[in-house]
C-alpha cells in the first residue's frame, strides 16, 4: 500500500511538473502570438503607407506629363523627374510585394500558432481532467489507508487484551 501511495504521489508530482511546463509553453506561445500580431499590424500599416506613397507617386507622374507638354526645356526636366518617380514606384512596388509576402507568411504563422494554441489548450484540459481523477483516487486511497490503520490499531489492541 505504501508502494502504491508512493507511486501515486510520484505520478501526481510528475503531472504537476508537466502541467507547469505546459503552462510555461502556453505563456510563451501567447507572448509569441502577441508579438506576431504586432508585427502583422506594423506590416499592414507600412503597406498602407506604401500604397499611399504609390498612389501619390502615380498622381505626381500624371501631373509631370501634363506639364511636359508645355515646352521642350520643361519636358527634359520633367522626363528626368518622371524617370526618378518610376524608379521610386518600382522600388515601392517591390517593397510592397515583399510586405505582402511577409504579411502572408505572418498570417500563416499566426494560423499555425492558433492551431498549436488550441492543441495545447486541449492537452491542458485533458491533463486537468486526469489530475482530478488522480486526486479522487488519491483521496480514496488515503481514506482506505486510514481505515486500515484503524483496523490495525484495533487488532493490536485486541491482541494486547488477549495477551493479558
Amino acid at each position: 500500500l505504501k508502494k502504491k501511495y508512493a507511486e501515486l504521489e510520484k505520478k501526481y508530482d510528475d503531472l504537476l511538473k508537466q502541467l507547469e511546463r505546459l503552462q510555461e509553453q502556453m505563456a510563451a506561445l501567447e507572448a509569441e502570438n502577441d508579438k506576431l500580431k504586432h508585427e502583422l499590424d506594423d506590416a499592414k500599416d507600412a503597406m498602407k503607407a506604401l500604397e499611399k506613397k504609390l498612389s501619390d507617386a502615380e498622381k505626381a507622374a500624371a501631373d509631370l506629363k501634363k506639364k511636359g507638354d508645355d515646352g521642350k526645356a520643361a519636358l527634359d526636366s520633367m522626363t528626368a523627374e518622371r524617370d526618378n518617380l518610376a524608379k521610386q514606384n518600382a522600388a515601392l512596388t517591390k517593397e510592397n510585394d515583399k510586405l505582402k509576402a511577409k504579411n502572408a507568411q505572418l498570417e500563416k504563422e499566426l494560423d499555425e500558432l492558433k492551431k498549436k494554441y488550441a492543441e495545447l489548450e486541449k492537452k491542458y484540459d485533458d491533463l486537468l481532467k486526469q489530475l482530478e481523477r488522480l486526486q479522487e483516487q488519491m483521496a480514496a486511497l488515503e481514506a482506505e489507508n486510514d481505515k486500515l490503520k484503524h483496523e490495525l490499531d484495533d487488532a493490536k489492541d485486541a491482541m494486547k487484551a488477549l495477551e493479558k
Side-chain angles (χ1 to χ4, degrees):
L1 187 59
K2 284 183 180 179
K3 184 178 177 183
K4 283 184 180 180
Y5 180 78
E7 288 173 359
L8 281 175
E9 194 169 55
K10 182 181 181 332
K11 284 181 183 179
Y12 178 77
D13 289 342
D14 290 345
L15 279 173
L16 286 178
K17 289 175 186 174
Q18 187 176 7
L19 180 61
E20 183 176 290
R21 284 192 304 271
L22 285 173
Q23 287 172 334
E24 290 172 359
Q25 288 175 352
M26 194 162 63
L29 284 174
E30 287 172 348
E32 186 176 354
N33 189 16
D34 288 343
K35 179 185 171 203
L36 288 173
K37 283 181 183 177
H38 290 298
E39 287 179 10
L40 179 61
D41 289 342
D42 292 344
K44 285 180 181 179
D45 292 342
M47 191 167 65
K48 285 180 185 177
L50 287 174
E51 287 173 348
K52 184 175 180 344
K53 282 183 180 181
L54 179 61
S55 175
D56 292 345
E58 289 171 346
K59 289 177 187 175
D63 290 342
L64 288 175
K65 184 168 176 11
K66 183 180 180 230
K67 289 179 183 177
D69 294 340
D70 293 341
K72 176 71 175 136
L75 181 63
D76 291 341
S77 174
M78 298 292 173
T79 302
E81 193 171 342
R82 186 185 67 217
D83 290 345
N84 186 33
L85 287 173
K87 288 177 186 176
Q88 288 178 5
N89 188 21
L92 289 173
T93 300
K94 186 176 178 181
E95 189 174 342
N96 190 24
D97 290 343
K98 285 181 183 178
L99 286 173
K100 283 181 181 178
K102 172 100 173 160
N103 186 32
Q105 178 63 29
L106 287 173
E107 286 178 355
K108 182 180 175 185
E109 289 176 15
L110 181 61
D111 288 342
E112 290 173 11
L113 283 173
K114 284 180 181 178
K115 287 177 187 175
K116 285 181 183 178
Y117 181 76
E119 290 171 9
L120 284 176
E121 262 187 339
K122 185 183 180 324
K123 285 180 183 178
Y124 177 77
D125 290 341
D126 291 345
L127 281 174
L128 282 179
K129 289 175 186 173
Q130 187 178 1
L131 179 62
E132 287 174 9
R133 286 192 304 271
L134 287 173
Q135 287 173 334
E136 289 170 3
Q137 289 175 356
M138 187 177 205
L141 286 172
E142 285 175 349
E144 185 179 343
N145 189 23
D146 288 344
K147 179 183 170 191
L148 289 172
K149 283 181 183 177
H150 288 299
E151 288 177 9
L152 181 61
D153 289 342
D154 291 344
K156 285 180 181 178
D157 291 342
M159 283 178 61
K160 285 181 183 177
L162 287 174
E163 288 175 356
K164 290 181 181 181

